[in-house]
């Protein structure tokens, strides 16, 4: 049997930053563009690139470093756009755990990670700071890093500022502790990368599907762009619509996550050339990519003008850090204007 549906696999169970996909579906944007989408949820986030790369699924979402590594390992996928741009990513921990801003304080600790590349990143950092991978205990947590920290199963773990760190802050708030006790050692700073782009969340395609269905992919992206524009213009209304369709989104915790994700949404959906160059180089440094690897992304399926890249990405990151601290304190839906 065959189907005209595009199978689309999320990178995990529905979260606040998946809202463009669901809004495009619920508002009928996909239907209006002439595409039919089947949204699927993985039971294991590590399966996503394998399922898409093997052709079992047509499209989906994945972080940049995983997208690069997938093709290098024989699972042909290509990024055709960006959903979430450069969310701050790092080793999360709680004040009082014995961990400090000094990376070497992780020696002897249990460190959680989502999938195998998280462990590769930590292993590489231990060498960078005069340690070895034997100096810590790795614990694979999937997306449950914050939960494992709270339960004491790990001392620290890799997560992103707008999801797992918000989970830790929510826990602290309920315990009567200051939310500032949720700390992060940013990997981009530790590894001297100059960007957080390795965890940019991407729209990816199976290469054979992409080759055979370029117009479908263009229509998918056009509808998703319409949804993104709607969300950025009407965040409160969009969140209410998403929550109505997905009742699990109605919690205060998810609402706070959405507020923190709001500044990271890509308004253009374009892959950022500079970021791909940096993360490809980082992948080679981690030895998950061969020396001659060429980045697997394309912007040719986006039918609107490409924006100019930020001239001072480091300055923009510093502004984003201040912006997110303000969002943490005051809440609300705000975007950072960067010239």
């Amino acid at each position: 049997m065959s189907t005209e549906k595009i199978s689309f696999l999320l990178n995990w169970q529905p979260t606040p930053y998946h809202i463009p996909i669901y809004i495009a579906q619920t508002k009928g944007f996909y239907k209006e563009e002439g595409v039919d989408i089947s949204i699927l949820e993985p039971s294991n986030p590590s399966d996503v690139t394998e399922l898409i790369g093997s052709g079992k699924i047509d499209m989906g979402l994945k972080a940049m470093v995983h997208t690069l590594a997938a093709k290098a390992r024989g699972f042909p996928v290509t990024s055709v756009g960006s959903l979430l741009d450069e969310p701050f990513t790092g080793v999360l921990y709680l004040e009082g755990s014995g961990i400090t801003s000094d990376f070497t304080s992780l020696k002897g600790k249990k460190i959680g990670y989502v999938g195998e590349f998280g462990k590769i990143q930590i292993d590489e950092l231990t060498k960078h700071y005069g340690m070895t991978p034997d100096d810590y205990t790795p614990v694979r947590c999937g997306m449950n890093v914050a939960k494992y920290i709270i339960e004491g199963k790990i001392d620290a773990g890799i997560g992103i500022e707008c999801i797992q760190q918000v989970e830790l802050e929510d826990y602290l708030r309920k315990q009567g502790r200051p939310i500032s006790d949720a700390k992060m050692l940013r990997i981009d700073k530790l590894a001297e990368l100059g960007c957080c782009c390795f965890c940019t969340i991407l729209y990816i395609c199976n290469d054979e599907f992409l080759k055979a269905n370029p117009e479908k992919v263009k229509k998918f992206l056009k509808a998703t762009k319409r949804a993104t524009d709607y969300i950025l213009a009407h965040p409160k209304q969009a969140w209410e619509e998403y929550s109505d369709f997905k009742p699990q989104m109605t919690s205060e915790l998810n609402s706070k996550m959405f507020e923190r994700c709001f500044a990271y949404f890509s308004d253009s959906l374009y892959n950022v050339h500079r970021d791909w160059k940096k993360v490809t180089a980082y992948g080679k440094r981690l030895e998950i990519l061969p020396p001659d690897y060429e980045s697997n992304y394309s912007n040719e399926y986006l039918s609107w003008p490409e924006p100019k890249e930020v001239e001072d990405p480091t300055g923009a990151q510093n502004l984003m850090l201040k912006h997110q601290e303000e969002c943490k304190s005051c809440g609300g839906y705000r975007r950072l204007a960067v010239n």
Side-chain angles (χ1 to χ4, degrees):
M1 296 180 67
S2 63
T3 177
E4 287 300 308
K5 283 183 179 289
I6 295 175
S7 53
F8 188 92
L9 187 62
L10 303 179
N11 56 334
W12 189 226
Q13 63 193 19
T15 66
Y17 65 73
H18 292 141
I19 186 172
I21 306 299
Y22 285 100
I23 289 294
Q25 183 84 298
T26 59
K27 296 193 79 65
F29 294 159
Y30 290 132
K31 184 177 181 179
E32 289 172 13
E33 294 297 335
V35 289
D36 193 2
I37 310 297
S38 177
I39 304 172
L40 308 172
E41 303 168 19
S43 57
N44 184 340
S46 297
D47 293 340
V48 174
T49 48
E50 181 175 342
L51 289 170
I52 297 172
S54 64
K56 293 181 174 66
I57 303 290
D58 301 323
M59 299 183 68
L61 296 172
K62 203 60 182 173
M64 190 181 291
V65 68
H66 299 105
T67 301
L68 283 159
K71 196 158 189 174
R73 295 189 170 194
F75 295 109
V77 296
T78 295
S79 170
V80 293
S82 301
L83 186 159
L84 210 64
D85 268 340
E86 299 192 66
F88 291 122
T89 307
V91 181
L92 294 165
Y93 65 96
L94 295 177
E95 183 74 25
S97 63
I99 300 170
T100 69
S101 58
D102 180 357
F103 182 83
T104 60
S105 65
L106 291 169
K107 190 170 184 177
K109 302 296 186 181
K110 292 176 288 185
I111 304 177
Y113 60 95
V114 177
E116 68 170 306
F117 298 120
K119 183 179 186 305
I120 290 171
Q121 287 180 302
I122 297 296
D123 286 353
E124 198 269 343
L125 285 170
T126 60
K127 298 172 187 176
H128 189 67
Y129 285 88
M131 299 160 59
T132 74
D134 293 329
D135 285 327
Y136 78 98
T137 302
V139 180
R140 190 162 184 160
C141 304
M143 294 294 192
N144 298 312
V145 167
K147 179 176 181 289
Y148 276 39
I149 291 174
I150 292 167
E151 293 175 351
K153 295 178 180 177
I154 58 175
D155 302 294
I158 297 176
I160 61 176
E161 179 265 334
C162 54
I163 300 294
Q164 287 87 2
Q165 185 166 342
V166 179
E167 289 182 279
L168 290 178
E169 291 166 2
D170 182 68
Y171 162 76
L172 291 167
R173 187 182 293 107
K174 291 174 179 176
Q175 294 295 310
R177 294 175 58 181
I179 62 173
S180 58
D181 279 359
K183 306 290 187 180
M184 175 187 283
L185 296 173
R186 279 171 47 189
I187 291 177
D188 64 304
K189 294 288 189 182
L190 295 171
E192 300 175 1
L193 295 178
C195 70
C196 295
C197 41
F198 60 91
C199 263
T200 290
I201 307 298
L202 306 168
Y203 297 102
I204 67 172
C205 288
N206 170 271
D207 282 359
E208 286 299 316
F209 173 81
L210 182 59
K211 182 179 178 181
N213 300 277
E215 292 306 313
K216 278 188 178 181
V217 174
K218 289 178 183 178
K219 291 175 180 178
F220 167 87
L221 291 168
K222 186 177 179 182
T224 306
K225 174 69 161 62
R226 289 176 63 190
T228 303
D229 290 344
Y230 174 76
I231 293 160
L232 297 183
H234 309 285
K236 186 175 185 295
Q237 186 175 341
W239 181 250
E240 289 173 354
E241 292 175 26
Y242 185 28
S243 299
D244 184 58
F245 184 72
K246 285 285 184 183
Q248 65 264 46
M249 291 294 116
T250 57
S251 70
E252 182 182 0
L253 172 59
N254 279 320
S255 180
K256 288 183 181 297
M257 286 181 182
F258 177 57
E259 291 178 355
R260 294 274 277 280
C261 288
F262 192 68
Y264 294 124
F265 284 115
S266 172
D267 57 359
S268 72
L269 275 61
Y270 269 82
N271 287 287
V272 179
H273 304 289
R274 178 197 64 247
D275 292 349
W276 275 91
K277 289 177 183 177
K278 287 186 176 183
V279 181
T280 300
Y282 182 46
K284 293 175 182 179
R285 171 177 148 188
L286 294 174
E287 299 182 350
I288 61 174
L289 303 177
D292 60 347
Y293 189 86
E294 294 185 6
S295 305
N296 50 321
Y297 75 97
S298 173
N299 286 327
E300 67 178 282
Y301 304 94
L302 303 172
S303 55
W304 45 92
E306 182 173 358
K308 184 180 179 181
E309 292 190 8
V310 175
E311 293 182 1
D312 181 10
T314 302
Q317 287 269 289
N318 292 335
L319 290 173
M320 181 63 85
L321 180 62
K322 294 178 182 177
H323 180 276
Q324 290 301 85
E325 285 298 320
E326 291 175 4
C327 185
K328 182 192 299 187
S329 300
C330 307
Y333 310 113
R334 293 175 293 176
R335 298 276 290 173
L336 179 65
V338 180
N339 295 323

